Amino acid sequence: MFRPRTPFFRKSAHKHHVLCEYRKLLRQTKQFDPVEQTYLWSWIRERFHHNKRQTSPTQASQYLSDGTWASLVMSAALNGSTTQRQYISDLAYGRTGYLKDVAQQVREFNHPTKPCQTIRDVRPRSSRIHQPHKAYWIPLDLRVFSVPQHLLDRIRDEDERDRLRERRKRQRRELRLAREISELTNAVNEGNHAVRDSGLLPEAFTSVPAVAKSPFHIPGVAGNPLWIPPRIKLRLDPPFVQHVRASSGFELYKVNGRKPPHWLAAKVAASYRKLSHRLHLHEFYYYFAQDLKLEEEFEARLGVYDPGYWIYASNYREYLRNKIKESSGNGSVDVGSCEMGAEEWDSRAMLQRAMQEFANE
């Protein structure tokens, strides 16, 4: 079966089509009443987020067709179609459809201690598994559905416990960070060379006027050990954990991988493959030329004179040896400048030694 070099979901045309359809649907939801707008906006966003990792062309086409159908239904409702308007209203107010079943589950919930998680998030189980973050939750609309007060009290108490737990974790993390910063401050002020790569100079944290007015002094806040100036901008390794604030207001920590950029890693891998291929060819033609030479000597003893084959193989081997010398001596990729681990560095050194041995034969 033929597979294209670039999958359809990575092509810019497909991404543009999906984003245009998504934005068109969200714009249409703003013309409905608040309850219907909340319902349409939440579930359109949920469906697109749930299906954004779809890799099947058939399924992706089917989901886009569903989006087009939803756009036509909303357009008809806005243009005066009573049937389509009533259909959307019934879905949003829970008279029919999925929310009707959710409301029935909330009314039948009778556990003595546990909170009803359906009130927090009415999405189906598959969506809760794939998108567990609170930013994707769709809470039950209390403007439409009545929920018993004891269930709301349980959710409020659980939220309070979660906030208290997160506050304690944050305090422990800040205390640990404060201790580490204090140790770093003491090491910097003592002139420890092991921490010079952080961009800090000795006496960086001080309140002495003579030192503070020095042009080489990194200003602090009255010698406060909890203050650290920002890292230098041209630092090679980015921070391992980066604090990110999303457009929706949620704050999270993003982990950055300490590895070279993809283009450099791909260039190094390509040079390795090319050199390995030439080394294998070099070795093959070396033994091939030896076998041909032995064969010609055997034919000469038999009285058959047919030279020339091993000379051709030897010449091609010489050509490969020169290519390996050029690649190893004047390589276009400086692998040593990359940040590599010990195992990768050893393999690189072994490969270079092997190239030199083959080239110097």
Side-chain angles (χ1 to χ4, degrees):
M1 179 180 177
F2 171 75
R3 289 186 177 180
R5 182 180 296 272
T6 304
F8 76 98
F9 52 85
R10 296 190 185 277
K11 293 182 178 180
S12 58
H14 175 75
K15 294 181 179 179
H16 179 72
H17 178 49
V18 173
L19 287 176
C20 287
E21 192 70 26
Y22 180 57
R23 290 167 181 165
K24 178 183 176 182
L25 290 169
L26 293 183
R27 283 194 299 267
Q28 287 179 320
T29 59
K30 297 181 180 179
Q31 305 179 40
F32 291 86
D33 66 70
V35 174
E36 296 173 352
Q37 178 182 346
T38 302
Y39 170 81
L40 293 172
W41 189 88
S42 301
W43 285 100
I44 288 172
R45 182 171 175 267
E46 191 274 335
R47 284 293 90 190
F48 272 87
H49 276 287
H50 182 266
N51 299 324
K52 67 180 181 181
R53 293 184 176 84
Q54 184 58 246
T55 58
S56 171
T58 306
Q59 290 293 332
S61 177
Q62 179 63 36
Y63 293 145
L64 287 174
S65 300
D66 295 343
T68 305
W69 175 82
S71 177
L72 293 175
V73 170
M74 286 192 290
S75 299
L78 294 173
N79 291 331
S81 175
T82 309
T83 305
Q84 303 300 340
R85 189 67 184 231
Q86 185 65 33
Y87 173 71
I88 294 177
S89 178
D90 291 343
L91 290 176
Y93 284 87
R95 291 188 286 268
T96 58
Y98 178 73
L99 290 184
K100 181 180 179 181
D101 299 334
V102 170
Q104 183 67 24
Q105 294 176 10
V106 172
R107 285 193 295 267
E108 295 175 357
F109 185 82
N110 57 357
H111 196 277
T113 57
K114 288 185 177 181
C116 182
Q117 299 296 339
T118 310
I119 303 175
R120 298 174 181 269
D121 189 10
V122 300
R123 295 179 301 163
R125 184 172 180 272
S126 59
S127 298
R128 294 197 299 267
I129 292 175
H130 290 293
Q131 303 286 353
H133 198 272
K134 292 182 179 180
Y136 300 101
W137 286 5
I138 302 179
L140 190 66
D141 197 343
L142 300 181
R143 296 172 297 180
V144 180
F145 302 97
S146 59
V147 179
Q149 186 62 35
H150 68 281
L151 296 181
L152 296 177
D153 295 340
R154 291 180 192 176
I155 291 179
R156 186 184 64 253
D157 296 341
E158 187 178 22
D159 290 342
E160 185 63 29
R161 288 194 298 269
D162 291 342
R163 282 194 294 270
L164 182 60
R165 190 182 304 113
E166 291 295 329
R167 188 183 305 115
R168 290 174 179 172
K169 288 173 59 178
R170 185 171 62 253
Q171 290 175 354
R172 288 195 297 267
R173 184 168 60 248
E174 290 176 353
L175 289 175
R176 184 174 66 252
L177 181 61
R179 287 194 295 269
E180 294 175 358
I181 291 175
S182 300
E183 295 174 1
L184 175 62
T185 302
N186 297 331
V188 169
N189 289 336
E190 293 171 1
N192 191 345
H193 296 279
V195 293
R196 288 292 182 87
D197 62 340
S198 62
L200 302 177
L201 299 176
E203 300 298 334
F205 306 101
T206 180
S207 58
V208 181
V211 180
K213 293 181 180 180
S214 172
F216 303 102
H217 172 63
I218 300 178
V221 183
N224 183 6
L226 295 182
W227 185 85
I228 281 190
R231 289 189 176 186
I232 53 178
K233 292 184 178 180
L234 300 179
R235 189 167 173 84
L236 295 178
D237 51 336
F240 184 68
V241 178
Q242 182 179 359
H243 184 264
V244 180
R245 182 181 178 88
S247 59
S248 58
F250 285 92
E251 297 182 2
L252 61 144
Y253 289 95
K254 185 178 70 173
V255 178
N256 295 325
R258 292 180 178 269
K259 60 182 181 180
H262 175 72
W263 66 268
L264 184 58
K267 207 170 184 181
V268 172
S271 64
Y272 275 6
R273 287 194 298 267
K274 188 182 297 183
L275 285 175
S276 300
H277 178 67
R278 285 174 179 168
L279 285 173
H280 289 315
L281 281 178
H282 183 279
E283 185 178 5
F284 168 75
Y285 274 97
Y286 171 77
Y287 291 110
F288 185 56
Q290 295 296 325
D291 292 343
L292 288 177
K293 193 173 182 180
L294 290 175
E295 185 178 349
E296 289 187 6
E297 292 177 357
F298 177 71
E299 290 178 351
R301 288 198 299 269
L302 293 178
V304 180
Y305 183 73
D306 189 15
Y309 293 105
W310 75 272
I311 298 176
Y312 166 77
S314 179
N315 291 338
Y316 192 75
R317 178 172 165 266
E318 185 70 23
Y319 165 77
L320 289 174
R321 181 192 295 133
N322 294 333
K323 282 289 185 182
I324 293 171
K325 281 184 178 180
E326 294 174 4
S327 301
S328 59
N330 303 320
S332 58
V333 179
D334 186 8
V335 185
S337 63
C338 304
E339 297 182 15
M340 295 185 177
E343 298 181 357
E344 294 177 282
W345 184 265
D346 293 342
S347 62
R348 173 179 172 271
M350 292 174 59
L351 182 59
Q352 284 190 345
R353 286 197 298 270
M355 288 191 297
Q356 292 296 335
E357 292 175 0
F358 275 113
N360 295 329
E361 286 184 358

